[in-house]
Amino acid sequence: MAAKTLTIDGKEVSAAEGATILEAASDAGITLPTLCHLEGVYDVGACRMCLVEIAGTPKLLPACTTQVSEGMNVTTTSERLQQYRKMILELLFAERNHVCAVCVANGHCELQTLAYRQGMDHVRYDYCFPKWDVDITHPLYGMDHNRCILCTRCVRVCWHIEGAGTKNVAGRGAKAQIITDLFQPWGESDTCTNCGKCVMSCPTGALFYRGATVGEMERDRSKLEFIVTAREKKQWIP
Amino acid sequence: MARRILIDPVTRIEGHAKISIYLDDEGNVSDAQFHVVEFRGFEKFCEGRPFTELPSITPRICGICPVSHLLASAKAGDAIMAVAIPPAADKLRRLMNLGQIVQSHALSFFHLSAPDFLLGWDTPPPRRNVLGLIAANPDLARAGIRLRQFGQEIIEVLGGKKIHPAWAVPGGVRSPLTEDGRAKIRAWLPEAGATARTALDLFKQVLKKHGRETQIFGNFPSLFLGLVGPDGEWEHHGGKLRFTDSSGSIIADQLEARSFKDFIGEAVLAASYLKAPYYKPLGYPDGMYRVGPLARLNVCSHIGTPKADAELKAFKKLGRGAVTSSFLYHYARLIEIIACVERVEVLLDDPDLLSEDLRADAGINQLEGVGVSEAPRGTLFHHYQVDRNGVIRKMNLIIATGQNNLAMNQTVAQIARHYVRGNDIPEAMLNRVEHGIRCYDPCLSCSTHAAGQMPLHVRLVAPDGTVVREVTRS
C-alpha cells in the first residue's frame, strides 16, 4: 500500500493510504479530542470533537473519518477549532441532563474530562431538560438516556465485536435514542447476550452496572481491544 | 387598626424564611406565623431515578446535614432490598452520624446561636454574629470552630470528603475505616471532649441569667418524638420510635418506622412551603410534637455513657416530667455533643470498623421502603415506593424542621406576646423572635423538598381589616 506524506501541525508525517487523519496524528504523537471514536470498532464521525482544519478546504472535517491524502496540510489546534469544540461540548451538556455530581461515572467520564480539558467553564445555551427514562429492566446493567450523547459506541461494539446486534438507534434529531432490539425494555431483549461490552464502551454514565453509585463506574476498554486484536491478528495479548 | 410586623429575612438559620406577627387594634399580638419561602422539588424530580442513586441525590438537599439524608436514604434502600446490612457497615454508619451530629450542633451553638446570649441581645446586629464572638472571646470561638472540624473530619475520614460523601449505599457502605483514619479521629477526642465541656459549663452560667428566656422561648406542652433503643436508651441511627408527652409519660413506644403513616399525619399550610406533621391519634393541630435534641433527651431514659448520663440527670430536673422550653434545645444540643464524643471513643475500639465485609447485595425484594435516622435537628424519614426494577415511583421525605413547624409558630407567638406592646418594636424584640426560631436550628433547605400544587389562600382585606372575600384552593 502506498504511503502518503502530509503535514500535521507543521510536522511532516507519513501514513498508509486509507489511514485516517486521526490515525496519522496518533502515530505522530498528536492527540486529538474524541468522544465517539473507540479503538476496535469503525468510526462514524458522530461527535465532531476531532474536527480539523485542512488547507484549501473551507469547512472543518472530522479527523476520524477523513482519509489522508498526499500533500495534505492539517491543523489540529487553532482558536477557531477550540471555539467549535467548546461549543460542541456545551451543546452536548445542554441537550440532555448531565449532572456530574451525582453521576455513576463522575471522575471517570470522557465527556466530563473533555469539558475540563477544553476549558468549558459554563454553558451558553439554555438547558433543554428533556424527560428521558432510565431502563434498569436488565438484571445486570442499566441505561440512563439522560446521560447519553448518542456516540453509538455501544451499538458498534454490540454489532461488530459481540455480533449480537441488540443495540440500535431509533428516532431523529433531538428524539434520537439508543434502543434495545425492536424498542423494548432491555430486560426483555431476545438477542442480548449479557456480555457487557456496551457498558465497557460507554464514554459517559449512560450505561452502567446496576446498583452502581456515584463515581463507581470505571471502564476497562482493554478487553475490547484484546478481543479485536485476537480476532483480526490472531494474537492473544492481554 | 390591625398591623402586621414583618421580619424578612430571618438571619442565621440554614435557609430563607420570614415571620409575620399580626397585631390587633389594641396593638397586642393576635397571631404569628413562620413562613418558609424556599421551594425545592426533590420529591418530584427524584421520581424515575433508580433507588440506588438516591443516597447520592438526596444529600444534595442540604450542605449542613448531607450525612443525615445519606443515611436515611441508604436505610430506605436496605428496606427495599430487604437486607440486614453487615454489622461493620452499621457501626460505620453510626460513627459517621455521630460526626454529623457534632459538627452540626457545634455550628448551631457557636456560629449561629451563641452570639445572641453570649454577646447580649442588645448588641448591634453587625457585631452580634460569629465574627463578633471571635473578637469578644477568640479562644472560645476557635474551640467551637475546631469542634465542628472534628465532626467534619470523621465524615471525611470515612467518606472521602466533608460534604456530600457518596459513601453509604443501599446494603451497607463503600469503604471501611483505615488505621490511619482511626488514629486521626482518636487524636481529636480529648480536645473535642474538653470543648464540649467548656461550652456546656458556659451555657449553664448563661442559663442562670436567662430565666425569662427559658420561660417564654417556646415553653409550652407538646409531644416529643425520637428514636430509642430497646430499653429506652438514647438512639441516633437504629432503634425504634417513641412518643412522650409533656408530663414525660410514654404515649407510644417501639414504633416501627415502616408504619409511620399510622401515627404521623402531614398538614399542608397555606402560608408556607413547610408542611406541618402531627401525631395522628390526636389530630391536627393538637398532635403537635417536637423533634431534635430536646425531644431526644426527653424521650430517652438514659444515654449509656457516663458523662452524658450525669448531664442528662441534671437536665431532666429542669422540667416536671419533660423539659418543655425550646430555649433548652441549646442545652440538649451540648449534652448530645458530649454523648457523641463519648460514643465515638467507645466505637473506635471496635475491631469491626476495619472489616472489608461492608456491602450486602440483593435485588428488589420489597416495593416500599422507609429509612429513619436521627438528623441533628430531629427524626428524619425517607419513604420510597419503587417499581419491580427499583425505579422510584413515589417519594416522601419528612424532615425534622417540618416536624417542629407547629412548635415554631407557637414559639414565635409566645415570644411576640411578651415583647410586643402597641407600636413600640425594639430591635432586641425582633432578634428575640428570631432567636426563638434559632432554638430549633431549623434547616429550611431540607424541609422544603416537596413539589406539586400549593394550597392557595387569597384574602381581600378592607382598610378596616374586615375580610371582604376569601378564596381557598386546596
Side-chain angles (χ1 to χ4, degrees):
Chain A
M1 210 184 285
K4 303 282 180 192
T5 309
L6 64 157
T7 312
I8 303 179
D9 293 342
K11 196 173 172 182
E12 288 263 308
V13 298
S14 72
E17 187 176 0
T20 63
I21 296 173
L22 185 66
E23 286 164 341
S26 173
D27 288 345
I30 297 165
T31 311
L32 275 162
T34 56
L35 269 177
C36 65
H37 171 77
L38 180 70
E39 291 298 328
V41 285
Y42 63 90
D43 286 304
V44 290
C47 73
R48 319 308 277 180
M49 280 308 297
C50 66
L51 287 178
V52 290
E53 289 171 355
I54 295 168
T57 312
K59 61 180 184 178
L60 304 174
L61 290 168
C64 67
T65 54
T66 307
Q67 292 182 3
V68 294
S69 63
E70 189 62 37
M72 203 180 226
N73 188 0
V74 180
T75 306
T76 69
T77 313
S78 70
E79 191 143 322
R80 180 182 171 213
L81 287 169
Q82 294 290 77
Q83 288 305 320
Y84 273 111
R85 285 175 188 151
K86 215 190 254 190
M87 185 175 82
I88 290 161
L89 284 166
E90 288 174 42
L91 288 167
L92 284 173
F93 275 93
E95 193 175 15
R96 299 217 176 174
N97 305 307
H98 297 278
V99 188
C100 300
V102 297
C103 178
V104 291
N106 189 12
H108 316 288
C109 170
E110 290 181 47
L111 181 65
Q112 186 187 36
T113 308
L114 268 186
Y116 282 139
R117 266 194 212 143
Q118 301 295 320
M120 192 198 89
D121 47 14
H122 66 287
V123 171
R124 287 165 289 178
Y125 309 102
D126 290 338
Y127 285 96
C128 296
F129 298 119
K131 268 193 173 295
W132 287 103
D133 285 334
V134 183
D135 183 348
I136 45 172
T137 54
H138 193 281
L140 300 174
Y141 316 120
M143 164 92 205
D144 185 351
H145 295 282
N146 293 286
R147 302 171 185 150
C148 178
I149 55 166
L150 293 169
C151 67
T152 70
R153 281 186 188 180
C154 55
V155 176
R156 285 174 281 151
V157 295
C158 188
W159 282 83
H160 299 283
I161 301 183
E162 177 62 10
T166 306
K167 294 278 179 203
N168 289 287
V169 183
R172 289 283 178 276
K175 289 180 181 163
Q177 75 175 98
I178 302 296
I179 59 164
T180 311
D181 286 347
L182 295 171
F183 216 152
Q184 61 213 58
W186 197 353
E188 292 170 23
S189 166
D190 297 323
T191 59
C192 179
T193 61
N194 305 339
C195 73
K197 291 188 185 66
C198 53
V199 179
M200 258 183 259
S201 73
C202 182
T204 69
L207 288 163
F208 53 89
Y209 296 120
R210 257 185 81 151
T213 57
V214 177
E216 284 191 305
M217 277 311 299
E218 288 187 69
R219 330 262 172 186
D220 180 7
R221 305 248 159 69
S222 62
K223 293 236 170 57
L224 299 175
E225 280 180 73
F226 165 75
I227 294 172
V228 174
T229 310
R231 185 178 295 160
E232 291 175 0
K233 299 182 181 163
K234 304 291 176 208
Q235 291 172 352
W236 283 262
I237 310 162
Chain B
M1 206 187 110
R3 283 182 61 206
R4 185 171 82 140
I5 301 169
L6 190 66
I7 303 177
D8 183 15
V10 179
T11 58
R12 276 187 278 132
I13 55 171
E14 337 285 5
H16 306 283
K18 59 181 185 179
I19 293 170
S20 296
I21 299 167
Y22 299 90
L23 304 182
D24 63 15
D25 291 343
E26 282 76 48
N28 295 319
V29 173
S30 60
D31 198 6
Q33 206 140 34
F34 174 61
H35 312 269
V36 177
V37 294
E38 293 183 350
F39 179 76
R40 308 293 302 285
F42 272 78
E43 284 172 342
K44 196 69 197 166
F45 65 67
C46 283
E47 286 174 6
R49 301 307 309 173
F51 80 101
T52 45
E53 280 188 2
L54 291 201
S56 25
I57 299 176
T58 56
R60 302 278 160 177
I61 289 173
C62 183
I64 306 293
C65 51
V67 169
S68 310
H69 290 287
L70 177 76
L71 297 180
S73 184
K75 277 181 94 176
D78 302 341
I80 287 167
M81 291 157 75
V83 293
I85 66 168
D90 183 60
K91 288 172 188 169
L92 286 162
R93 283 185 188 177
R94 282 172 173 275
L95 181 59
M96 187 180 268
N97 203 33
L98 292 170
Q100 165 64 25
I101 293 173
V102 171
Q103 71 90 358
S104 176
H105 279 4
L107 175 74
S108 168
F109 185 80
F110 291 97
H111 299 62
L112 305 180
S113 290
D116 290 334
F117 46 76
L118 290 184
L119 301 177
W121 303 95
D122 301 318
T123 308
R127 278 193 284 126
R128 194 162 20 85
N129 51 41
V130 72
L131 297 176
L133 190 66
I134 290 168
N137 193 341
D139 290 342
L140 178 75
R142 191 181 299 113
I145 291 167
R146 280 182 60 81
L147 182 61
R148 177 162 194 241
Q149 192 188 350
F150 161 67
Q152 297 274 51
E153 295 261 347
I154 293 179
I155 298 168
E156 188 175 25
V157 159
L158 289 170
K161 53 180 183 172
K162 292 185 175 78
I163 302 169
H164 300 136
W167 176 75
V169 292
V173 299
R174 282 168 44 161
S175 55
L177 180 66
T178 59
E179 280 288 7
D180 284 353
R182 179 149 77 176
K184 201 170 173 188
I185 297 172
R186 189 169 275 145
W188 270 94
L189 286 169
E191 184 189 334
T195 304
R197 168 61 53 196
T198 309
L200 185 60
D201 290 344
L202 185 71
F203 189 77
K204 283 180 185 167
Q205 294 300 317
V206 165
L207 204 53
K208 287 180 188 159
K209 293 184 218 142
H210 286 75
R212 187 174 153 105
E213 281 74 13
T214 311
Q215 279 307 309
I216 59 170
F217 278 35
N219 190 16
F220 46 79
S222 78
L223 303 181
F224 297 95
L225 168 69
L227 285 174
V228 289
D231 56 350
E233 166 183 352
W234 180 82
E235 249 299 351
H236 62 98
H237 188 60
K240 289 179 184 160
L241 296 157
R242 174 185 275 183
F243 278 97
T244 60
D245 65 13
S246 47
S247 72
S249 309
I250 297 168
I251 59 166
D253 200 12
Q254 299 299 324
L255 298 168
E256 291 283 357
R258 65 169 179 269
S259 49
F260 78 92
K261 275 189 190 157
D262 296 341
F263 46 89
I264 293 176
E266 289 184 276
V268 178
L269 309 180
S272 179
Y273 279 112
L274 187 55
K275 287 191 283 190
Y278 57 93
Y279 180 58
K280 236 179 191 172
L282 293 187
Y284 174 80
D286 294 343
M288 169 177 73
Y289 63 91
R290 282 179 267 186
V291 294
L294 180 73
R296 284 193 289 260
L297 295 197
N298 273 330
V299 299
C300 77
S301 60
H302 61 289
I303 292 179
T305 48
K307 288 177 197 155
D309 266 329
E311 293 300 335
L312 179 70
K313 218 169 164 187
F315 178 78
K316 288 212 179 234
K317 285 187 186 143
L318 293 172
R320 277 186 228 116
V323 179
T324 53
S325 169
S326 289
F327 188 64
L328 299 176
Y329 262 99
H330 300 306
Y331 195 157
R333 217 164 265 134
L334 295 170
I335 296 176
E336 283 200 328
I337 296 180
I338 288 181
C340 290
V341 174
E342 283 185 300
R343 285 217 176 184
V344 168
E345 197 168 1
V346 174
L347 252 180
L348 280 184
D349 291 327
D350 196 316
D352 269 0
L353 296 190
L354 307 180
S355 165
E356 293 285 339
D357 300 318
L358 297 172
R359 201 164 170 175
D361 195 10
I364 315 300
N365 296 306
Q366 284 186 138
L367 298 185
E368 202 163 346
V370 177
V372 62
S373 185
E374 285 290 341
R377 289 157 189 80
T379 320
L380 170 66
F381 296 81
H382 277 216
H383 177 208
Y384 307 155
Q385 284 166 272
V386 296
D387 68 11
R388 287 260 156 236
N389 300 307
V391 172
I392 296 285
R393 289 289 163 240
K394 213 171 168 210
M395 170 170 157
N396 186 27
L397 310 179
I398 303 180
I399 311 289
T401 298
Q403 295 168 83
N404 283 332
N405 197 2
L406 295 173
M408 284 194 288
N409 278 340
Q410 198 152 324
T411 301
V412 171
Q414 190 180 34
I415 298 169
R417 269 188 204 109
H418 272 78
Y419 286 97
V420 178
R421 286 283 179 277
N423 292 338
D424 186 27
I425 307 162
E427 164 69 27
M429 184 289 295
L430 295 179
N431 191 53
R432 279 172 169 88
V433 167
E434 273 194 282
H435 191 90
I437 294 297
R438 264 179 224 134
C439 290
Y440 296 86
D441 189 21
C443 184
L444 309 179
S445 323
C446 282
S447 48
T448 53
H449 48 271
Q453 195 182 30
M454 281 300 294
L456 201 63
H457 190 184
V458 182
R459 292 198 301 175
L460 285 179
V461 186
D464 63 358
T466 54
V467 178
V468 184
R469 201 164 155 238
E470 196 163 5
V471 183
T472 304
R473 187 195 74 192
S474 61

